[in-house]
Short mmCIF file of all heavy atoms in Angstrom, two decimals:
data_model
loop_
_atom_site.label_atom_id
_atom_site.label_comp_id
_atom_site.label_asym_id
_atom_site.label_seq_id
_atom_site.Cartn_x
_atom_site.Cartn_y
_atom_site.Cartn_z
N HIS A 214 22.81 -9.50 -9.98
CA HIS A 214 22.75 -8.91 -11.32
C HIS A 214 22.23 -9.90 -12.36
O HIS A 214 22.26 -11.10 -12.15
CB HIS A 214 24.13 -8.41 -11.76
CG HIS A 214 24.74 -7.43 -10.81
ND1 HIS A 214 25.60 -7.82 -9.81
CD2 HIS A 214 24.58 -6.09 -10.70
CE1 HIS A 214 25.97 -6.75 -9.12
NE2 HIS A 214 25.37 -5.68 -9.63
N ILE A 215 21.81 -9.33 -13.49
CA ILE A 215 21.44 -10.14 -14.64
C ILE A 215 22.72 -10.57 -15.35
O ILE A 215 23.80 -10.01 -15.09
CB ILE A 215 20.50 -9.36 -15.58
CG1 ILE A 215 21.17 -8.08 -16.08
CG2 ILE A 215 19.20 -9.04 -14.86
CD1 ILE A 215 20.31 -7.26 -17.04
N PRO A 216 22.65 -11.54 -16.28
CA PRO A 216 23.88 -12.03 -16.92
C PRO A 216 24.67 -10.95 -17.68
O PRO A 216 25.88 -10.86 -17.57
CB PRO A 216 23.37 -13.11 -17.87
CG PRO A 216 22.12 -13.61 -17.22
CD PRO A 216 21.49 -12.41 -16.60
N ASN A 217 23.96 -10.12 -18.47
CA ASN A 217 24.68 -9.08 -19.23
C ASN A 217 23.74 -7.94 -19.58
O ASN A 217 22.51 -8.06 -19.50
CB ASN A 217 25.32 -9.66 -20.50
CG ASN A 217 24.28 -10.14 -21.49
OD1 ASN A 217 23.63 -9.33 -22.17
ND2 ASN A 217 24.10 -11.45 -21.60
N THR A 218 24.30 -6.81 -19.98
CA THR A 218 23.52 -5.60 -20.25
C THR A 218 22.60 -5.75 -21.46
O THR A 218 21.61 -5.04 -21.58
CB THR A 218 24.45 -4.40 -20.49
OG1 THR A 218 25.27 -4.66 -21.64
CG2 THR A 218 25.35 -4.16 -19.29
N GLY A 219 22.92 -6.67 -22.37
CA GLY A 219 22.14 -6.82 -23.59
C GLY A 219 20.71 -7.26 -23.36
O GLY A 219 19.87 -7.12 -24.27
N ILE A 220 20.44 -7.80 -22.19
CA ILE A 220 19.08 -8.23 -21.87
C ILE A 220 18.15 -7.04 -21.75
O ILE A 220 16.94 -7.14 -21.93
CB ILE A 220 19.09 -9.07 -20.58
CG1 ILE A 220 19.92 -10.35 -20.79
CG2 ILE A 220 17.70 -9.43 -20.11
CD1 ILE A 220 20.18 -11.12 -19.51
N ILE A 221 18.72 -5.86 -21.44
CA ILE A 221 17.91 -4.64 -21.27
C ILE A 221 17.63 -4.05 -22.65
O ILE A 221 18.53 -3.59 -23.34
CB ILE A 221 18.65 -3.61 -20.40
CG1 ILE A 221 19.13 -4.25 -19.10
CG2 ILE A 221 17.74 -2.42 -20.11
CD1 ILE A 221 20.10 -3.38 -18.30
N LYS A 222 16.36 -4.07 -23.05
CA LYS A 222 15.99 -3.63 -24.40
C LYS A 222 15.29 -2.28 -24.41
O LYS A 222 15.16 -1.66 -25.49
CB LYS A 222 15.05 -4.66 -25.04
CG LYS A 222 15.65 -6.06 -25.15
CD LYS A 222 16.83 -6.10 -26.09
CE LYS A 222 17.31 -7.54 -26.30
NZ LYS A 222 18.54 -7.60 -27.11
N ALA A 223 14.80 -1.81 -23.27
CA ALA A 223 14.06 -0.55 -23.24
C ALA A 223 14.26 0.14 -21.90
O ALA A 223 14.33 -0.53 -20.86
CB ALA A 223 12.57 -0.80 -23.48
N VAL A 224 14.36 1.46 -21.93
CA VAL A 224 14.55 2.23 -20.70
C VAL A 224 13.84 3.56 -20.82
O VAL A 224 13.69 4.11 -21.92
CB VAL A 224 16.05 2.45 -20.39
CG1 VAL A 224 16.68 3.38 -21.42
CG2 VAL A 224 16.24 3.00 -18.99
N LYS A 225 13.37 4.06 -19.70
CA LYS A 225 12.75 5.38 -19.65
C LYS A 225 13.20 6.08 -18.38
O LYS A 225 13.08 5.54 -17.28
CB LYS A 225 11.22 5.25 -19.63
CG LYS A 225 10.46 6.57 -19.61
CD LYS A 225 10.53 7.26 -20.94
CE LYS A 225 9.66 8.52 -20.95
NZ LYS A 225 9.82 9.27 -22.22
N VAL A 226 13.79 7.27 -18.53
CA VAL A 226 14.10 8.10 -17.37
C VAL A 226 12.81 8.79 -16.97
O VAL A 226 12.23 9.55 -17.76
CB VAL A 226 15.21 9.11 -17.68
CG1 VAL A 226 15.47 9.99 -16.46
CG2 VAL A 226 16.49 8.40 -18.08
N MET A 227 12.34 8.52 -15.78
CA MET A 227 11.00 8.97 -15.39
C MET A 227 10.99 10.37 -14.79
O MET A 227 10.09 11.17 -15.05
CB MET A 227 10.39 7.99 -14.38
CG MET A 227 10.29 6.55 -14.89
SD MET A 227 9.31 6.39 -16.39
CE MET A 227 7.71 6.90 -15.81
N SER A 228 11.97 10.67 -13.96
CA SER A 228 11.97 11.98 -13.29
C SER A 228 13.30 12.21 -12.60
O SER A 228 14.13 11.30 -12.45
CB SER A 228 10.83 12.05 -12.25
OG SER A 228 11.03 11.10 -11.23
N ALA A 229 13.49 13.45 -12.18
CA ALA A 229 14.65 13.84 -11.37
C ALA A 229 14.13 14.63 -10.17
O ALA A 229 13.22 15.45 -10.31
CB ALA A 229 15.62 14.67 -12.18
N ALA A 230 14.67 14.34 -9.00
CA ALA A 230 14.20 15.02 -7.79
C ALA A 230 15.36 15.22 -6.83
O ALA A 230 16.40 14.55 -6.94
CB ALA A 230 13.11 14.18 -7.11
N GLY A 231 15.20 16.14 -5.91
CA GLY A 231 16.21 16.35 -4.89
C GLY A 231 16.12 15.28 -3.83
O GLY A 231 15.04 14.79 -3.52
N ALA A 232 17.26 14.90 -3.27
CA ALA A 232 17.29 13.89 -2.20
C ALA A 232 18.51 14.14 -1.33
O ALA A 232 19.61 14.33 -1.86
CB ALA A 232 17.34 12.48 -2.78
N TYR A 233 18.31 14.17 -0.03
CA TYR A 233 19.46 14.36 0.87
C TYR A 233 20.24 13.06 1.00
O TYR A 233 19.67 11.97 0.98
CB TYR A 233 18.98 14.82 2.25
CG TYR A 233 18.43 16.22 2.25
CD1 TYR A 233 17.06 16.44 2.35
CD2 TYR A 233 19.27 17.32 2.15
CE1 TYR A 233 16.53 17.73 2.35
CE2 TYR A 233 18.76 18.61 2.15
CZ TYR A 233 17.40 18.81 2.25
OH TYR A 233 16.89 20.08 2.23
N TRP A 234 21.55 13.19 1.10
CA TRP A 234 22.41 12.03 1.30
C TRP A 234 21.97 11.31 2.57
O TRP A 234 21.89 11.88 3.65
CB TRP A 234 23.87 12.49 1.40
CG TRP A 234 24.87 11.46 1.82
CD1 TRP A 234 25.80 11.58 2.81
CD2 TRP A 234 25.11 10.16 1.23
NE1 TRP A 234 26.58 10.46 2.91
CE2 TRP A 234 26.19 9.57 1.95
CE3 TRP A 234 24.53 9.45 0.19
CZ2 TRP A 234 26.68 8.30 1.63
CZ3 TRP A 234 25.01 8.19 -0.12
CH2 TRP A 234 26.07 7.63 0.60
N ARG A 235 21.65 10.03 2.38
CA ARG A 235 21.19 9.15 3.46
C ARG A 235 19.92 9.67 4.13
O ARG A 235 19.65 9.37 5.29
CB ARG A 235 22.29 8.93 4.47
CG ARG A 235 23.45 8.13 3.89
CD ARG A 235 24.39 7.61 4.94
NE ARG A 235 25.06 6.38 4.49
CZ ARG A 235 25.91 5.69 5.22
NH1 ARG A 235 26.21 6.08 6.43
NH2 ARG A 235 26.45 4.57 4.75
N GLY A 236 19.13 10.47 3.41
CA GLY A 236 17.86 10.96 3.93
C GLY A 236 17.98 11.94 5.08
O GLY A 236 17.01 12.23 5.78
N ASP A 237 19.18 12.51 5.27
CA ASP A 237 19.45 13.40 6.40
C ASP A 237 19.49 14.84 5.90
O ASP A 237 20.33 15.20 5.06
CB ASP A 237 20.79 13.02 7.02
CG ASP A 237 21.08 13.77 8.31
OD1 ASP A 237 20.51 14.86 8.51
OD2 ASP A 237 21.89 13.28 9.12
N GLU A 238 18.58 15.67 6.41
CA GLU A 238 18.47 17.05 5.95
C GLU A 238 19.71 17.87 6.25
O GLU A 238 19.89 18.96 5.69
CB GLU A 238 17.23 17.71 6.57
CG GLU A 238 15.92 17.10 6.11
CD GLU A 238 14.71 17.76 6.74
OE1 GLU A 238 14.89 18.79 7.42
OE2 GLU A 238 13.59 17.26 6.54
N THR A 239 20.56 17.39 7.14
CA THR A 239 21.78 18.13 7.47
C THR A 239 22.93 17.80 6.52
O THR A 239 23.99 18.40 6.60
CB THR A 239 22.22 17.82 8.92
OG1 THR A 239 22.60 16.43 9.01
CG2 THR A 239 21.09 18.10 9.90
N LYS A 240 22.70 16.82 5.64
CA LYS A 240 23.77 16.37 4.73
C LYS A 240 23.54 16.92 3.32
O LYS A 240 22.47 17.47 3.02
CB LYS A 240 23.84 14.84 4.73
CG LYS A 240 24.31 14.30 6.09
CD LYS A 240 24.55 12.81 6.08
CE LYS A 240 25.13 12.36 7.43
NZ LYS A 240 25.40 10.92 7.48
N PRO A 241 24.51 16.78 2.42
CA PRO A 241 24.40 17.39 1.09
C PRO A 241 23.17 16.92 0.31
O PRO A 241 22.75 15.77 0.44
CB PRO A 241 25.70 16.93 0.39
CG PRO A 241 26.64 16.63 1.50
CD PRO A 241 25.81 16.12 2.62
N GLN A 242 22.64 17.83 -0.49
CA GLN A 242 21.52 17.47 -1.35
C GLN A 242 22.04 16.94 -2.68
O GLN A 242 22.93 17.52 -3.29
CB GLN A 242 20.59 18.66 -1.60
CG GLN A 242 19.32 18.24 -2.33
CD GLN A 242 18.27 19.33 -2.36
OE1 GLN A 242 18.60 20.48 -2.56
NE2 GLN A 242 17.01 18.97 -2.16
N LEU A 243 21.47 15.82 -3.09
CA LEU A 243 21.86 15.15 -4.32
C LEU A 243 20.71 15.23 -5.32
O LEU A 243 19.62 15.71 -5.00
CB LEU A 243 22.19 13.68 -4.03
CG LEU A 243 23.17 13.43 -2.89
CD1 LEU A 243 23.20 11.95 -2.53
CD2 LEU A 243 24.57 13.91 -3.27
N THR A 244 20.95 14.75 -6.53
CA THR A 244 19.88 14.62 -7.53
C THR A 244 19.56 13.15 -7.70
O THR A 244 20.46 12.35 -7.98
CB THR A 244 20.31 15.22 -8.88
OG1 THR A 244 20.61 16.61 -8.70
CG2 THR A 244 19.19 15.08 -9.91
N ARG A 245 18.31 12.81 -7.50
CA ARG A 245 17.87 11.42 -7.64
C ARG A 245 17.24 11.25 -9.02
O ARG A 245 16.23 11.88 -9.33
CB ARG A 245 16.87 11.06 -6.55
CG ARG A 245 16.32 9.63 -6.66
CD ARG A 245 15.56 9.25 -5.40
NE ARG A 245 16.46 9.14 -4.26
CZ ARG A 245 16.07 8.84 -3.02
NH1 ARG A 245 14.79 8.62 -2.77
NH2 ARG A 245 16.95 8.77 -2.03
N ILE A 246 17.85 10.40 -9.84
CA ILE A 246 17.34 10.11 -11.17
C ILE A 246 16.57 8.79 -11.11
O ILE A 246 17.13 7.75 -10.80
CB ILE A 246 18.47 10.00 -12.21
CG1 ILE A 246 19.34 11.26 -12.20
CG2 ILE A 246 17.90 9.74 -13.60
CD1 ILE A 246 18.65 12.49 -12.69
N TYR A 247 15.26 8.86 -11.41
CA TYR A 247 14.42 7.68 -11.41
C TYR A 247 14.31 7.13 -12.83
O TYR A 247 14.18 7.89 -13.80
CB TYR A 247 13.00 8.01 -10.94
CG TYR A 247 12.86 8.27 -9.46
CD1 TYR A 247 12.89 9.56 -8.95
CD2 TYR A 247 12.67 7.20 -8.57
CE1 TYR A 247 12.75 9.81 -7.59
CE2 TYR A 247 12.51 7.43 -7.21
CZ TYR A 247 12.55 8.74 -6.72
OH TYR A 247 12.41 8.97 -5.37
N GLY A 248 14.36 5.80 -12.96
CA GLY A 248 14.21 5.18 -14.26
C GLY A 248 13.49 3.85 -14.16
O GLY A 248 13.30 3.31 -13.07
N ILE A 249 13.09 3.33 -15.30
CA ILE A 249 12.51 2.00 -15.36
C ILE A 249 12.95 1.36 -16.67
O ILE A 249 13.15 2.06 -17.67
CB ILE A 249 10.97 2.02 -15.23
CG1 ILE A 249 10.44 0.61 -14.97
CG2 ILE A 249 10.30 2.65 -16.47
CD1 ILE A 249 9.03 0.59 -14.42
N SER A 250 13.14 0.04 -16.66
CA SER A 250 13.64 -0.66 -17.85
C SER A 250 12.93 -1.99 -17.99
O SER A 250 12.35 -2.52 -17.04
CB SER A 250 15.16 -0.89 -17.72
OG SER A 250 15.45 -1.61 -16.52
N PHE A 251 13.02 -2.55 -19.22
CA PHE A 251 12.31 -3.80 -19.51
C PHE A 251 13.11 -4.63 -20.51
O PHE A 251 13.91 -4.10 -21.28
CB PHE A 251 10.92 -3.51 -20.10
CG PHE A 251 9.99 -2.85 -19.13
CD1 PHE A 251 9.87 -1.46 -19.08
CD2 PHE A 251 9.22 -3.60 -18.25
CE1 PHE A 251 9.03 -0.84 -18.19
CE2 PHE A 251 8.37 -3.00 -17.35
CZ PHE A 251 8.27 -1.61 -17.31
N PRO A 252 12.85 -5.95 -20.52
CA PRO A 252 13.53 -6.82 -21.49
C PRO A 252 12.89 -6.79 -22.88
O PRO A 252 13.42 -7.38 -23.80
CB PRO A 252 13.40 -8.22 -20.86
CG PRO A 252 12.19 -8.14 -20.00
CD PRO A 252 12.12 -6.73 -19.50
N LYS A 253 11.75 -6.07 -23.02
CA LYS A 253 11.12 -5.92 -24.33
C LYS A 253 10.58 -4.50 -24.45
O LYS A 253 10.00 -3.96 -23.48
CB LYS A 253 9.95 -6.92 -24.49
CG LYS A 253 10.38 -8.38 -24.52
CD LYS A 253 9.16 -9.29 -24.64
CE LYS A 253 9.58 -10.76 -24.63
NZ LYS A 253 8.39 -11.66 -24.67
N ALA A 254 10.71 -3.90 -25.63
CA ALA A 254 10.23 -2.54 -25.85
C ALA A 254 8.72 -2.46 -25.65
O ALA A 254 8.19 -1.46 -25.14
CB ALA A 254 10.61 -2.07 -27.25
N LYS A 255 8.01 -3.53 -26.03
CA LYS A 255 6.56 -3.55 -25.91
C LYS A 255 6.13 -3.40 -24.45
O LYS A 255 5.11 -2.78 -24.14
CB LYS A 255 6.02 -4.86 -26.49
CG LYS A 255 4.51 -5.01 -26.41
CD LYS A 255 4.07 -6.38 -26.93
CE LYS A 255 2.56 -6.55 -26.76
NZ LYS A 255 2.11 -7.91 -27.17
N MET A 256 6.90 -3.97 -23.53
CA MET A 256 6.57 -3.91 -22.12
C MET A 256 6.66 -2.48 -21.60
O MET A 256 5.85 -2.05 -20.75
CB MET A 256 7.49 -4.83 -21.31
CG MET A 256 7.32 -6.31 -21.67
SD MET A 256 8.58 -7.37 -20.92
CE MET A 256 7.97 -7.49 -19.25
N LEU A 257 7.63 -1.71 -22.10
CA LEU A 257 7.74 -0.30 -21.71
C LEU A 257 6.53 0.47 -22.23
O LEU A 257 5.95 1.30 -21.50
CB LEU A 257 9.03 0.31 -22.24
CG LEU A 257 9.20 1.81 -22.02
CD1 LEU A 257 9.16 2.16 -20.53
CD2 LEU A 257 10.51 2.32 -22.64
N THR A 258 6.15 0.23 -23.47
CA THR A 258 4.98 0.91 -24.04
C THR A 258 3.73 0.65 -23.20
O THR A 258 2.97 1.57 -22.88
CB THR A 258 4.74 0.44 -25.49
OG1 THR A 258 5.90 0.71 -26.26
CG2 THR A 258 3.55 1.16 -26.10
#
Side-chain angles (χ1 to χ4, degrees):
H214 303 94
I215 59 179
N217 66 75
T218 62
I220 296 170
I221 309 168
K222 302 295 186 185
V224 68
K225 181 73 175 175
V226 178
M227 302 302 296
S228 63
Y233 291 105
W234 171 231
R235 293 194 153 182
D237 188 337
E238 295 180 7
T239 66
K240 293 187 175 180
Q242 188 169 41
L243 309 169
T244 300
R245 178 169 293 179
I246 305 292
Y247 286 95
I249 193 162
S250 57
F251 294 93
K253 294 178 182 177
K255 180 184 176 184
M256 296 171 78
L257 174 59
T258 302

